[in-house]
Amino acid sequence: MAMMVIMTEDSIGWIYCASSLTQREKDYVRIGKEGRRIFVCFAASHILWDKPSTFTEYVDQFDTAAAVIQNANDEQKSTFITGEGTPDTLWEHIWWWGFPENKKDEEPGLINAHFIRHLLPDVKILVILRNPVDRLYSDYLFFLPKKSKSEEEFHKKTRRSVDKFNNCLTKHSIRHCAYKVTYTDLGLYSSLYSVFLKDWMTVFPRKQFFITTLEDYSKNQTLVASEIFTFLGLRADSGRGNTHFNSRRPSVKHMGDMYNETRRILEQFYKPFNRELAALLDDPKFLWGS
């Protein structure tokens, strides 16, 4: 089973973090990235999937790491660590309403953190967050299916998405709109970091979290990676040059940045959540200029 959990927004920080953690000279780090299995394996797949996953299938993802650890001597075992790398563990909880008895609930009674604590109460949690405005645009360029994309289309989707989410807030709580997922043209909800982390920190103590930004990690991978290794109780990194992973697909390389007006709308939307996050973590870098 995992000794650490990496939580990012989709793939924004997963490749960065996984690459740094697995490129070690002596420490062996095995990270499993299994879509949504971290919660699907706990019976939710019986609601969401035609062919449910099992807990055994989830644990099987760590067979390689288990074999290495089993064949190692005692000294080597002290340098091994395994990790769970599902990107959407932080915010994906729509499964709660998949159970008939929960359909009328305003907010979820349990979140993924409760399951993880039940199995791994001492787990260490790495969280890599990106400026939510930039993350949303990257998400649009990389994930949303469409042959032809444009700055104009993103602007229109932004306006519709913000209006729809704000309309949800006039009728429901912020936790309802964030957790039940207000289906909009763009995934605004997944970057409401303060909403999700505040709940996670009622389940786990602050000392079990290492939280950083993708921007900091991109600027100085060696420094941030060394801080992560220290947090995990591993040997400090000897130092490697920065590597850039997050490149655009060929089909959208022609596109420039979003419109200034689009950015202004999104910055206004995320501002209160960024401020709440910065206060929660007592760190102004999570304002992202808000």
Side-chain angles (χ1 to χ4, degrees), residues 42-171:
F42 296 108
S45 61
H46 294 267
I47 303 298
L48 301 176
W49 288 5
D50 293 333
K51 185 180 179 182
S53 297
T54 66
F55 185 69
T56 299
E57 287 179 304
Y58 171 72
V59 174
D60 286 347
Q61 303 304 315
F62 298 92
D63 281 354
T64 301
V68 172
I69 294 172
Q70 187 174 21
N71 294 325
N73 58 44
D74 291 341
E75 182 179 355
Q76 291 173 325
K77 287 179 180 178
S78 66
T79 65
F80 293 163
I81 189 169
T82 55
E84 149 65 44
T86 304
D88 48 8
T89 302
L90 176 66
W91 58 267
E92 177 63 273
H93 298 84
I94 192 61
W95 53 264
W96 175 261
W97 287 272
F99 296 95
E101 61 271 29
N102 300 340
K103 285 187 179 298
K104 294 183 179 180
D105 289 358
E106 175 74 4
E107 301 174 357
L110 295 174
I111 61 174
N112 296 329
H114 291 100
F115 295 125
I116 296 174
R117 185 187 63 181
H118 180 72
L119 291 169
L120 303 165
D122 299 319
V123 71
K124 295 189 175 182
I125 304 167
L126 312 184
V127 185
I128 303 177
L129 305 175
R130 184 180 184 181
N131 182 323
V133 176
D134 295 331
R135 187 215 64 82
L136 192 68
Y137 193 49
S138 177
D139 188 73
Y140 166 75
L141 295 176
F142 191 83
F143 290 103
L144 294 185
K146 190 171 182 181
K147 292 182 180 180
S148 179
K149 299 182 181 183
S150 69
E151 295 89 337
E152 177 66 23
E153 183 195 52
F154 181 72
H155 180 74
K156 292 178 179 178
K157 286 180 177 290
T158 294
R159 294 182 68 94
R160 289 196 298 267
S161 298
V162 170
D163 288 345
K164 188 172 182 180
F165 196 92
N166 285 336
N167 182 60
C168 178
L169 292 177
T170 66
K171 304 173 184 178

